[in-house]
Amino acid sequence: MKRNGIYSGEISDRGIPHGQGLLRFYNGDIYDGPFCHGEMHGDGAIFQFSDHNMEYRGDYRHNLKHGSGELIGIYKGSFQFDKPHGFGIQFKQDKSVAYIGQWKNGKPCSPASNSPVYSDEESDGFTFQDIQFYDAHS
């Protein structure tokens, strides 16, 4: 899905975003970071989600969260294709740790089997079914 906004920053000789820039989407989201050939692409980006009051700080590849990053107050660790994947830490609303370990395609994995963990047990109102990661591009 293509999203529109207002861009300010470095451009290529073809007139597309390339280098450091700021993109203010019409829905209120803001991306501040590196661009490569018109895509959000590079390390050390900041993405502010207007409708979820969240912020992502980390790496982007081809318009997706990919590499090392943090959804502030929610998750810190590795991302692959816009989802937690690899080692990461999930936090509860009170900032205590909900889960530490491996993730696969956005789901926490059990240490022994490396398969997704699904638990109905609640701890301070949190269940693994409550995990929600918001797509910056929808």
Side-chain angles (χ1 to χ4, degrees), residues 29-117:
D29 291 350
I30 299 171
Y31 173 86
D32 184 2
F35 287 81
C36 185
H37 304 292
E39 294 182 320
M40 299 181 295
H41 189 95
D43 301 340
I46 299 171
F47 194 105
Q48 296 174 332
F49 300 82
S50 64
D51 57 347
H52 299 296
N53 196 26
M54 288 191 317
E55 181 175 285
Y56 170 79
R57 291 177 180 262
D59 305 339
Y60 269 84
R61 299 294 180 267
H62 306 290
N63 294 324
L64 301 174
K65 294 181 286 296
H66 195 89
S68 182
E70 179 176 8
L71 281 167
I72 305 299
I74 298 172
Y75 172 86
K76 183 175 185 176
S78 296
F79 286 84
Q80 185 177 41
F81 305 117
D82 235 25
K83 296 179 182 177
H85 190 91
F87 183 80
I89 303 168
Q90 169 117 24
F91 300 96
K92 298 179 190 179
Q93 287 184 348
D94 68 4
K95 300 191 187 336
S96 64
V97 173
Y99 176 79
I100 298 175
Q102 293 297 314
W103 293 73
K104 188 172 185 177
N105 296 318
K107 301 286 185 195
C109 298
S110 67
S113 66
N114 201 33
S115 60
V117 171

Side-chain angles (χ1 to χ4, degrees), residues 10-31:
E10 299 175 61
I11 58 171
S12 71
D13 31 348
R14 294 187 338 191
I16 58 174
H18 191 79
Q20 280 300 121
L22 179 73
L23 181 56
R24 294 179 185 275
F25 294 95
Y26 293 135
N27 72 348
D29 291 350
I30 299 171
Y31 173 86

